[in-house]
Amino acid sequence: MEWLSALAGLLVGLVVGVTGVGGGSLMSPILILLFGVAPATAVGTDLWFAAVTKTVGGAIHHRHDNADWQVARRLWLGSIPATLATLWWLWSHHRAAEKGGLIVTVLGAALVLSALFTPFRARLVARAARSDGGGLRRWQPALTVAAGALLGALITLTSVGAGALGASLLLLLYPVRLTPKRLVGTDILHAVPVALIGGIGHAMIGNIDLALLGALLAGSVPGVAIGSTLAARVSDRVVTPALALVLLVVGVRLLV
């Protein structure tokens, strides 16, 4: 079981490093569907997994100047308060959220949305770039904070939000400013403190499996390091459709 967990961590780490898609988009469903982990524990464990792997990936992207700190700070203004508010709600309604299937339902819906956004990101970017006038730039800070709040709540509740959804929102808001490399680096950088705060909160609630986390990290740390280094060499024409299909299938499986 431990070597399977390490292998899962390695594969997810590679995907995170290459595409910037959050580990929760793949790891939480893997833990729930294949390993039979309780949804809340899967989310809590995966948030710690994401915090460590994204710290490694974020450091590498920062070293290569692939991150926009101003955009990340705007996201944090919304995401960190939303993370704390979501943790408070989970603390108060923990059993109801798990028994009612809320976590699994929101997780499945987030994956389906991520899958639908992923293959159309290029078209969205082209359209947003053509209409990138002064009005959009004027509202960029406020809209970025709002996007951060949405992502913070989703990441804390389901460990999904960074990656496909986060990247799509950033592309719509900054179609010209964020190049593909800086998009991935900024998205990963933003997710680090959000995942860490969310992981601490879930640990206080009791939603974490330390043995499972150790096995996942054993594979993911080298995986995300390799993926971040290879990010510029992998063709989106192959990765994007395949990733969208996987997210769609897993999201639908969680919903049904």
Side-chain angles (χ1 to χ4, degrees):
M1 181 66 73
E2 289 187 1
W3 73 268
L4 284 175
S5 300
L7 179 60
L10 175 65
L11 295 176
V12 172
L14 282 169
V15 174
V16 171
V18 170
T19 68
V21 169
S25 298
L26 296 173
M27 185 54 71
S28 286
I30 288 174
L31 294 179
I32 294 171
L33 297 175
L34 298 184
F35 290 85
V37 177
T41 301
V43 171
T45 302
D46 181 55
L47 283 172
W48 278 102
F49 166 82
V52 176
T53 55
K54 286 179 178 291
T55 297
V56 177
I60 294 173
H61 280 287
H62 173 62
R63 187 165 62 229
H64 293 285
D65 195 28
N66 292 340
D68 191 316
W69 281 85
Q70 184 181 56
V71 174
R73 284 193 292 268
R74 291 173 179 175
L75 290 169
W76 288 327
L77 285 175
S79 63
I80 291 178
T83 295
L84 294 173
T86 305
L87 284 172
W88 174 83
W89 185 86
L90 282 173
W91 183 278
S92 305
H93 303 83
H94 171 58
R95 293 186 178 179
E98 180 121 30
K99 289 183 178 179
L102 176 65
I103 294 176
V104 172
T105 300
V106 176
L107 174 59
L111 291 177
V112 171
L113 286 175
S114 297
L116 295 177
F117 268 114
T118 298
F120 298 106
R121 284 200 316 206
R123 294 183 182 179
L124 291 173
V125 174
R127 180 172 296 182
R130 287 194 297 268
S131 61
D132 186 30
L136 176 60
R137 286 192 293 271
R138 185 175 61 217
W139 290 101
Q140 274 178 340
L143 290 173
T144 306
V145 173
L150 173 63
L151 294 174
L154 278 175
I155 292 170
T156 307
L157 183 62
T158 68
S159 73
V160 174
L165 286 177
S168 297
L169 290 174
L170 287 177
L171 281 172
L172 289 173
L173 290 170
Y174 302 94
V176 176
R177 175 171 174 170
L178 293 179
T179 63
K181 292 180 183 179
R182 291 178 71 82
L183 172 71
V184 173
T186 302
D187 190 45
I188 290 178
L189 178 67
H190 160 250
V192 172
V194 177
L196 181 59
I197 295 171
I200 292 173
H202 275 274
M204 293 175 65
I205 298 173
N207 298 335
I208 186 170
D209 187 325
L210 291 176
L212 177 60
L213 175 62
L216 294 174
L217 290 175
S220 69
V221 171
V224 75
I226 296 170
S228 296
T229 303
L230 297 177
R233 305 178 184 178
V234 180
S235 174
D236 286 341
R237 295 181 180 179
V238 177
V239 174
T240 300
L243 183 60
L245 179 61
V246 171
L247 293 177
L248 181 61
V249 171
V250 173
V252 171
R253 175 66 181 83
L254 288 170
L255 289 174
V256 299

